[in-house]
C-alpha cells in the first residue's frame, strides 16, 4: 500500500468521492461542504484602480515557522498588506506605468466546514536537509473569521467556527504516525474515563458516619431492599455487598460476626433462608420495618447505594472528545488538545465547522437518525455477525482451563498430597474467563461445589461422611492456592488473594492447578505450603540390618521425601540411625559420578543449600566402617580420571633434549607450577622461568591466547590431555589484553600478528600501535572485529572508547582495514556497474564499449567458453565505479543520483536515475533487488559492508512488492546452448505456484503452456533444476499444499534467477545442460580432488609440532548450535 501525506490523502479522498457521486443528487456534495473562495486584490495608489483575482480552495494552508498560532498566521495572510514601492513598483494597466500599489487577500466565501493544513515541514538551505517545525503553535477551540473576510456586515455568528477535529503527526520529516482527535458532536460515544469506571458505587466518605458502615444488618437490609421481591441467592449476596460498599464480608465483618451464611442463620427473625439454604429474603414484617428505618433514619445510605455511577449524564453540555489511534479509541479531555501545540507529536491539520450548524435534538445520541431502512437492516445484520465473531474470538483468546483439586478428595502422606481414589476422579476441569476477578472464580467454585453435593461420591467412613465434609468445607473458609505436581505428589505453593484482581493480574496461567481448601489442614494434618518447603524425592542408600547387633553387608535403595528446607542431618532421624557419614550424589543415576562426603559442620545446611534436587542420591554409612559398601558391591566409581596429564611442547626455538613432555596435573593445579615443571623437564635455561608462558594449541595447530600463571586448569578451562606450547614472553596480566591482528579482510593462515595492550587503551591508540608494529603509515585506517565466520565484522566506530568498554577479550582478532569510516548515520557504499548480455541491455558508453571485458582488479567476471557463445546465464561482469558516502535516511533514488556523479560513470549515457536498476552484491554476483525508488536506505537494512551494483534499463520500471524479476532464456533447437537472456516480470499475487509461472512464461513467448518445459539454473553447481507441473503429478492435497511454492525448497526462487525454457514443439528431450555446464562440473571435481589430496598431505606433515608461523590450515570458528528462520525479504 502506498503511503500518503495526510493532506494529499484528504484531497485524493475528495476526488474519489466526487467521481463516485457523478450523476447522483449528491454530485456537488464536496463543493457544498468544503468549497470556499479567496480574492487577491492589488490597489493602485495613484488611480485607486483595483485588480483582483479569485481562487477556489477546499482547504487552507497556513504557515507555522516564526508564527505563534493560527490567529497570527491568518492575520499575516488576510489582514496585512504587501506594499510595492521603491525598486519593486507595480505596473498599473490604467495608468500604463510603474506606480506604488498595495496587495492584499481576503476570504470571499466561507464553506460550512473549514480545513487548515499546517506547514510543519520545511527545508533548511544551510544544512540542505528537511526538518519539522516543533515550536509552539496555538489554535483556538472557537475562532471568529470576521476580520479576515471581504464582507463583514453580517452578524458575528455567521463567522464563528468551532473546532471539531485535529489530525496529529508523531515523528519526524522522514516518517511518523498519524492519529486524530474527534469531537463527539452527536454524543454517540461512551465517554467515560478509566478512573470513573474503577470507582465503587459507594464511597465510604459519602456515608453519614462510620457507625452505619459497621452495622452489617443495616447494610444487608439495604442490599436486599434493592432486589425484586427482596430475594437473592446467598452465593450472590457477598458479591452484591462487595460491589456496593467496596469491601468484602470476610475482610470487614467475618472476624467479628463469623461467616455470612451463619450470620444469616443467627438472625432468622430478620432473614428467611430457603430449605436448601440457597436463597435469602427479608421477612415481610422486617421488610416493612427495614424500609421504614431506611427512609427515616438512613436516607443518605440508601441514596448512596441506589445512585447511578457517574457517566455521560453528569455533564450534558460538556463537549466529548475521542482519540482514534488505529484500532484503539479512548476518551480525552478538551484540555488535552493543548498538549498538541508543540513537540514531535503535534497538530498537523485542523477541522472547523460553523457554530450555527446544529444537529436536531432527535439526532443526539441516535446513530440511526435519518439512515435509510435498507441500510439499517444491513447494518444490524452485520453487527449481529460481528457480535457473534467477537464472542467466539473472546472465548478463544480469553478462556483457559483450570484444574481444580478439592481438599476432601486428598490426604497427606510421605511429604505430599495424594488423591484418595484416583487422579481422574479427584480433579475437575473448569473453563474460565481470565478477564474475570478472583472473586468471580471463587463464586464459580461455590456453584460447582453445590453440584458436587448432589452427585454420587466415593464412600469413606460411611455413606454420608464425604457429603457432610464437603458441606462443612463449603460453610467455612475457602482458600484457593496454586499447586503443582512434583515427583513426590501434589504440593501447594502461594495462596491467591485479592478478590478484586483479575486472573491476568495475579498471573494465573492456562492449565494451572488450583487447590481448594481451608488454608490450614487437610484431613486433620497441617499442610506445609510454599516454595521453600517443596518436597524432594531422594534415593536413600542405607545398610540393611537383620537385627540391632548384626549388620548385613548390603545396601537398600529406598525412595524418601524430604522438605527442601529441612536440614540434611534429618536423614539420620528419618531412618533411626544414631550417627554416621552422609555421602551425596547429585546425579540421577547412582554410580555414574563420584560421591561427595558431607562434613559434619555442613549437616545443619538444608537440602536446597547442598544443591540436591529430585532424583539425587544419599548414602548413609557407619562412621566406624573404613570400607565403603559401594566398593564391596562393585558400585564405587573412582574420582580420579584416566587422563591426569597435560602435554607441553617446546616452542621457545631453543635446543633441548626433549621436544615435548607430559606433566601430571589435576583440575586444581596452578598454571605456574605446570610451567616451572615443564622448564625443568625440558632442561631449558632457568631464565625462561621468568620470561615464558604457556599457550594452548588448538586442533589446527594454532597458538591461542597465553594462560595467566595464577589460574588453575579449571579456571583456564583446560581439559586433561590438552596440548600447551611453552613460548617466550610473559603472559598478559589481569589488566591487559592479548590480541591477534591482521591487515586486510582476507586473512591468510599464519599471517596474524600478536600484541599485548592495556584493556583501558582507546581504539585510536590501539590502532596506532598496530600500524606501527605492522610498518604501515597514514591515518586512513580503521579497525574491525573478526566475526565467528572469520570474516570482517562490524567496525569499532567509537575511537575514544576503551577496549574494555567495547567488550573485547583476550584472544580476539582485529583487522586493519584501509579507509576511513563514514560518520555515524552514513554509509560508504561501493558502486559497481553491471551490464548483462541480452537484447534489452544495449547501453553503450561514449567510447562505444560494446563488450565490457576488463582484466584490472576493478572488474569481476566469470570465464567464458568459446564453444558455448550463448551461455550468458553463467557470465557476470561487474566493473567498479567508486564509493558513495550517503546518509541512511536518503532514498534509493538519491543513491542512484549520487552514483551518477562518480567520474567513472561519465562513460555511460543514462538519462536519469529511473533508468537504473539497483542490486546488492553477494558472492560477486547480483543478489537482492532494491525496488522502491523512494524508500529510505535504512529500511533496506543494508549494513556497513553492503555493495551495490547498478544495471542500465531501456525504460523506466515500477516493480511492485508482488513482482518477481526473472532472466529467461530460450533453448536453441538442436544445440546445447541458449539464446540471450530476456527479462520477465512475474506477478505472484495469486501465489508462487509452478502453474502460475508456466502460464506467465507461455504467454510471454506465445507458446502453448503444455508445450514448454522450464528449469531454474544453479550457477554454483552448473546444474539445471526442472520445475514440473505439480497439478498433474501430485494428487495428495496436503502434499501439494506443502510443496507447490517456488519460494521454498528446493527452488528458493528469487529476483534475478535464470529460467531456461524448452519448446517441446521442436525439441523433446529432458536435457537442459550446456557444454559450459559440463566443463564447469569437471573443474569442480578436479578442484575437490586436489583439495582432498592436499588435506591428506597436510595431515601427514602435521605429525610434527607446527610453529606459530606455519599454521597448516585455515582456522575454524568454534562449533555452535544455530537455528535461522529466513523469510522473503525484498
Amino acid at each position: 500500500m502506498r503511503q500518503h501525506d495526510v493532506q494529499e490523502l484528504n484531497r485524493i479522498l475528495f476526488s474519489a468521492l466526487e467521481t463516485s457521486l457523478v450523476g447522483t443528487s449528491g454530485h456537488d456534495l464536496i463543493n457544498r461542504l468544503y468549497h470556499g473562495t479567496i480574492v487577491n486584490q492589488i490597489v493602485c495608489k495613484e488611480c485607486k484602480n483595483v485588480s483582483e483575482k479569485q481562487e477556489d480552495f477546499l482547504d487552507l494552508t497556513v504557515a507555522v515557522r516564526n508564527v505563534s498560532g493560527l490567529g497570527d498566521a491568518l492575520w499575516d495572510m488576510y489582514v496585512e498588506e504587501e506594499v510595492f514601492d521603491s525598486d519593486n513598483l507595480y505596473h498599473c494597466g490604467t495608468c500604463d506605468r510603474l506606480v506604488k500599489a498595495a496587495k492584499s487577500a481576503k476570504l470571499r466565501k466561507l464553506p460550512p466546514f473549514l480545513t487548515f493544513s499546517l506547514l510543519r515541514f520545511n527545508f533548511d538551505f544551510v544544512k540542505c536537509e528537511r526538518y519539522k517545525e516543533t515550536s509552539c503553535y496555538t489554535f483556538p477551540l472557537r475562532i471568529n473569521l470576521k476580520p479576515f473576510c471581504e464582507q463583514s456586515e453580517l452578524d458575528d455568528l455567521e463567522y464563528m467556527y468551532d473546532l471539531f477535529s485535529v489530525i496529529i503527526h508523531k515523528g519526524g520529516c522522514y516518517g511518523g504516525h498519524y492519529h486524530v482527535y474527534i469531537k463527539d458532536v452527536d454524543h454517540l460515544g461512551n465517554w467515560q474515563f478509566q478512573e470513573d469506571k474503577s470507582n465503587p458505587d459507594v464511597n465510604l466518605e459519602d456515608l453519614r458516619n462510620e457507625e452505619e458502615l459497621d452495622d452489617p444488618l443495616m447494610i444487608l437490609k439495604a442490599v436486599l431492599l434493592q432486589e425484586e421481591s427482596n430475594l437473592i441467592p446467598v452465593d450472590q449476596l457477598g458479591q452484591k455487598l462487595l460491589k456496593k460498599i467496596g469491601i468484602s464480608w470476610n475482610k470487614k465483618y467475618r472476624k467479628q460476626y463469623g461467616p455470612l451464611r451463619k450470620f444469616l442463620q443467627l438472625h432468622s427473625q430478620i432473614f428467611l433462608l430457603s430449605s436448601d439454604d440457597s436463597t435469602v429474603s427479608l421477612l415481610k414484617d422486617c421488610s416493612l420495618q427495614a424500609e421504614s428505618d431506611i427512609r427515616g433514619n438512613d436516607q443518605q445510605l440508601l441514596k448512596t447505594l441506589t445512585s447511578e455511577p457517574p457517566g455521560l449524564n453528569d455533564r450534558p453540555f460538556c463537549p466529548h472528545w475521542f482519540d482514534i489511534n488505529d484500532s484503539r479509541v479512548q476518551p480525552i479531555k478538551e484540555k488535552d488538545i493543548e498538549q498538541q501545540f508543540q513537540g514531535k507529536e503535534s497538530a498537523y491539520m485542523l477541522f472547523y465547522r460553523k457554530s450555527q450548524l446544529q444537529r436536531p435534538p432527535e439526532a443526539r445520541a441516535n446513530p440511526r437518525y435519518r439512515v435509510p431502512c435498507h441500510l439499517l437492516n444491513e447494518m444490524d445484520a452485520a453487527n449481529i455477525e460481528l457480535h457473534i465473531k467477537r464472542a467466539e474470538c473472546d472465548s478463544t483468546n480469553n478462556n483457559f482451563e483450570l484444574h481444580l483439586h478439592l481438599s476432601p478428595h486428598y490426604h497427606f502422606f510421605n511429604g505430599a498430597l495424594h488423591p484418595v481414589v484416583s487422579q481422574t476422579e479427584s480433579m475437575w476441569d473448569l473453563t474460565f474467563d481470565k478477564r474475570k476477578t478472583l472473586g468471580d472464580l471463587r463464586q464459580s467454585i461455590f456453584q460447582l461445589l453445590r453440584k458436587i453435593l448432589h452427585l454420587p461420591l466415593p464412600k469413606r467412613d460411611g455413606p454420608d461422611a464425604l457429603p457432610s465434609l464437603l458441606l462443612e468445607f463449603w460453610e467455612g473458609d475457602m482458600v484457593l492456592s496454586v499447586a503443582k505436581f512434583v515427583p513426590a505428589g501434589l504440593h501447594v505453593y502461594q495462596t491467591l488473594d485479592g478478590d478484586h484482581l483479575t486472573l491476568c493480574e495475579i498471573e494465573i496461567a492456562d492449565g494451572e492447578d488450583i487447590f481448594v481448601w481451608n488454608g490450614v489442614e487437610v484431613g486433620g494434618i497441617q499442610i506445609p505450603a510454599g516454595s521453600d518447603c517443596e518436597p524432594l524425592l531422594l534415593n536413600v542408600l542405607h545398610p540393611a540390618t537383620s537385627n540391632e547387633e548384626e549388620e548385613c553387608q548390603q545396601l537398600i535403595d529406598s525412595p524418601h521425601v524430604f522438605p527442601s528446607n529441612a536440614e540434611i542431618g534429618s536423614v539420620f532421624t528419618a531412618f533411626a540411625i544414631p550417627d554416621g557419614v552422609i555421602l551425596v550424589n547429585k546425579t540421577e543415576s547412582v554410580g555414574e559420578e563420584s560421591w561427595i562426603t558431607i562434613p559434619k559442620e555442613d549437616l545443619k545446611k538444608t537440602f536446597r543449600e547442598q544443591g540436591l534436587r529430585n532424583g539425587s542420591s544419599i548414602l548413609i554409612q557407619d562412621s566406624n566402617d573404613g570400607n565403603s559398601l559401594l566398593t564391596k558391591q562393585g558400585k564405587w566409581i573412582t574420582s580420579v580420571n584416566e587422563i591426569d596429564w597435560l602435554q607441553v611442547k617446546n616452542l621457545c626455538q631453543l635446543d633441548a633434549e626433549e621436544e615435548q613432555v607430559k606433566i601430571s596435573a589435576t583440575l586444581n593445579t596452578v598454571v605456574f607450577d605446570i610451567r616451572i615443571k615443564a622448564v625443568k623437564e625440558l632442561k631449558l635455561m632457568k631464565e625462561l622461568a621468568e620470561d615464558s608462558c604457556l599457550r594452548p594449541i588448538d586442533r589446527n595447530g594454532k597458538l591461542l591466547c597465553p594462560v595467566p600463571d595464577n589460574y588453575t586448569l579449571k579456571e583456564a578451562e583446560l581439559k586433561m590431555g590438552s596440548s600447551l606450547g611453552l613460548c617466550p614472553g610473559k603472559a598478559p596480566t589481569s589488566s591487559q589484553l592479548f590480541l591477534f591482528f591482521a591487515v586486510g579482510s582476507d586473512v591468510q593462515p599464519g599471517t596474524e600478528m600478536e600484541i599485548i595492550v592495556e584493556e583501558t587503551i582507546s581504539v585510536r591508540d590501539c590502532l596506532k600501535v598496530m600500524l606501527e608494529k605492522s610498518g604501515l603509515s597514514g591515518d586512513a585506517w580503521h579497525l574491525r572485529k573478526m566475526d565467528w565466520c572469520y570474516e570482517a565484522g562490524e567496525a569499532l566506530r567509537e575511537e575514544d572508547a576503551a577496549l574494555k568498554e567495547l567488550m573485547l577479550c583476550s584472544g580476539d582478532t582485529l583487522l586493519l582495514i584501509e579507509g576511513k569510516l563514514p560518520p555515524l548515520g552514513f554509509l560508504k557504499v561501493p558502486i559497481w556497474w553491471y551490464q548483462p548480455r541480452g537484447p534489452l541491455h544495449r547501453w553503450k558508453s561514449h567510447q562505444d564499449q560494446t563488450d565490457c571485458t576488463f582484466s584490472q582488479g576493478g572488474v569481476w567476471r566469470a570465464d567464458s567458453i568459446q564453444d558455448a557463445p550463448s551461455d550468458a546465464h553463467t557470465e557476470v561482469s561487474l566493473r567498479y565505479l567508486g564509493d558513495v558516502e550517503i546518509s541512511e535516511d536518503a532514498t534509493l533514488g538519491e543513491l542512484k543520483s549520487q552514483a551518477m556523479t562518480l567520474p567513472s560513470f561519465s562513460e555511460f549515457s543514462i538519462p536519469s536515475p529511473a533508468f537504473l536498476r539497483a542490486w546488492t552484491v553477494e558472492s560477486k554476483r547480483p543478489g537482492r533487488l532494491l525496488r522502491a525508488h523512494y524508500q529510505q536506505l535504512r529500511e533496506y537494512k543494508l549494513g556497513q559492508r553492503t555493495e551495490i551494483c547498478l544495471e542500465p534499463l531501456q525504460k523506466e520500471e515500477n516493480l511492485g512488492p508482488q513482482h518477481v524479476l526473472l532472466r529467461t532464456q530460450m533453448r536453441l533447437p538442436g544445440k546445447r546452448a541458449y539464446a540471450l537472456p530476456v527479462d520477465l516480470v512475474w506477478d505472484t499475487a495469486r501465489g508462487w505456484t509452478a502453474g502460475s509461472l508456466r502460464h506467465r512464461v507461455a504467454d510471454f513467448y506465445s507458446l502453448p503452456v503444455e508445450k514448454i518445459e522450464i528449469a531454474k539454473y544453479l550457477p554454483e553447481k552448473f546444474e539445471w533444476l526442472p520445475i514440473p507441473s505439480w497439478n498433474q503429478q501430485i494428487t495428495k492435497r496436503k502434499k501439494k499444499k506443502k510443496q507447490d511454492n517456488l519460494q521454498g525448497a528446493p527452488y528458493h526462487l528469487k529476483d534475478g534467477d535464470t529460467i531456461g525454457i524448452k519448446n517441446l514443439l521442436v525439441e523433446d528431450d529432458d536435457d537442459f545442460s550446456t557444454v559450459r555446464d559440463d566443463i564447469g562440473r569437471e573443474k569442480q571435481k578436479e578442484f575437490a580432488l586436489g583439495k582432498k589430496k592436499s588435506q591428506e598431505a597436510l595431515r601427514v606433515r602435521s605429525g610434527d609440532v607446527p610453529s606459530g608461523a606455519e599454521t597448516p590450515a585455515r582456522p575454524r570458528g568454534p562449533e555452535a548450535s544455530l537455528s535461522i528462520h529466513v523469510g522473503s525479504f525484498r
Side-chain angles (χ1 to χ4, degrees), residues 389-400 432-435 504 510:
K389 290 182 178 179
R390 281 179 174 172
E392 294 175 352
C393 181
D394 286 346
S395 176
T396 303
N397 296 334
N398 296 307
N399 286 358
F400 62 3
F432 203 74
D433 192 338
K434 59 184 177 183
R435 296 170 297 179
C504 292
D510 188 15

Side-chain angles (χ1 to χ4, degrees), residues 38 125 284 381 494 523 544 574 914 916 937 1038 1102:
I38 301 174
F125 289 94
K284 285 188 177 181
Q494 74 272 17
L916 290 174
L937 300 180
K1038 292 185 178 179
S1102 63

Side-chain angles (χ1 to χ4, degrees), residues 61 218 275 365 378 418 526 554 714 854 947 974 1095 1129:
T61 303
M218 188 64 64
S275 58
E378 291 182 12
H418 299 271
Q526 189 170 355
Q554 62 178 354
K714 185 176 182 180
F854 302 92
E947 301 182 11
Q1095 289 177 349
F1129 297 99

Side-chain angles (χ1 to χ4, degrees), residues 135 329 616 748 801 829 934:
S135 57
V329 180
S616 297
Q748 298 298 324
V829 184
Y934 297 101

Side-chain angles (χ1 to χ4, degrees), residues 447-614:
Q447 299 290 343
L448 181 62
L449 288 174
R450 291 181 55 198
K451 294 180 181 179
I452 294 175
L453 288 174
H454 301 287
L455 294 176
L457 297 168
K459 297 181 180 181
R460 193 184 70 183
D461 298 334
D464 299 328
L466 191 54
S468 62
L469 183 60
L470 281 173
L471 183 59
E472 180 182 353
F473 162 76
W474 188 18
E475 290 289 347
D477 291 338
M478 187 178 74
V479 177
L480 305 182
S481 299
V482 175
K484 292 181 181 179
F485 283 101
V486 295
L490 186 69
H491 180 66
V492 178
Y493 288 85
Q494 74 272 17
T495 298
L496 302 179
D497 194 12
D499 282 1
H500 62 286
L501 299 176
T502 64
L503 299 190
C504 292
E505 292 173 336
I506 58 180
E507 298 180 353
I508 295 294
D510 188 15
E512 196 85 79
D513 291 284
I514 303 296
F515 190 66
V516 186
W517 62 317
N518 59 12
V520 180
E521 49 81 25
V522 172
I525 301 176
Q526 189 170 355
I527 304 300
S531 57
D532 292 339
C533 56
E534 179 181 323
L536 297 177
L537 182 60
L538 306 176
N539 297 317
V540 181
L541 288 82
H542 57 92
T545 57
S546 56
N547 52 57
E548 296 181 0
E549 301 295 335
E550 183 183 355
E551 182 177 334
C552 297
Q553 299 299 320
Q554 62 178 354
L555 290 176
I556 294 179
D557 186 358
S558 60
H560 201 281
V561 177
F562 294 94
S564 56
N565 60 353
E567 295 180 359
I568 199 168
S570 61
V571 175
F572 295 124
T573 306
F575 287 90
I577 298 176
D579 193 11
V581 178
I582 295 180
L583 296 89
V584 297
N585 185 352
K586 299 178 183 179
T587 61
E588 295 185 4
S589 55
V590 179
E592 294 296 328
E593 298 291 339
S594 59
W595 292 78
I596 301 174
T597 304
I598 302 297
K600 287 189 176 182
E601 57 271 16
D602 290 345
L603 292 178
K604 292 187 177 180
K605 291 185 178 181
T606 64
F607 290 94
R608 188 183 299 275
E609 292 172 343
Q610 287 290 345
L612 295 176
R613 59 181 185 271
N614 288 299

